[in-house]
Amino acid sequence: QVQLVESGGGLVQPGGSLRLSCVASGSIFRIDNMGWYRQAPGKERELVARVTGGIGNYADSVRGRFTISRDNAKNTVYLQMNSLKPEDTAVYYCFANIITFMRQSNAYWGQGTQVTVSS
């Protein structure tokens, strides 16, 4: 009943930029917060950035290089990634804490989008 669909991943050279998008759709009454996690091979999933009430919070490893933003009218969250490094290579997952029209509150996840930073 609720879906998150990501787009924008791909292959980029070190120092390059990518912009990820994630659109939430379905039986949505309200979205409390949205954000991005990532998981590199052999590593645990880690929080990259989240936006709540218009305020972004970032992992230390990406602060100053990544910018998270949200379009409430479109139920969409973006992650602008600049000055990318090889260590940013991972599958990036969108998440959202959503209250449905049935007044159920759950965390939802996208399917993931691959970001590869390599020369």
Side-chain angles (χ1 to χ4, degrees), residues 3-55:
Q3 272 193 317
L4 300 183
V5 178
E6 300 128 334
S7 61
L11 173 64
V12 64
Q13 292 186 342
S17 298
L18 282 175
R19 188 193 195 207
L20 305 183
S21 300
C22 172
V23 181
S25 63
S27 179
I28 298 171
F29 174 70
R30 188 179 77 231
I31 301 177
D32 284 340
N33 59 73
M34 302 182 80
W36 297 88
Y37 278 73
R38 68 185 180 187
Q39 188 166 21
K43 295 187 177 181
E44 294 186 356
R45 190 175 295 192
E46 63 173 354
L47 177 65
V48 176
R50 68 193 303 163
V51 56
T52 305
I55 298 175

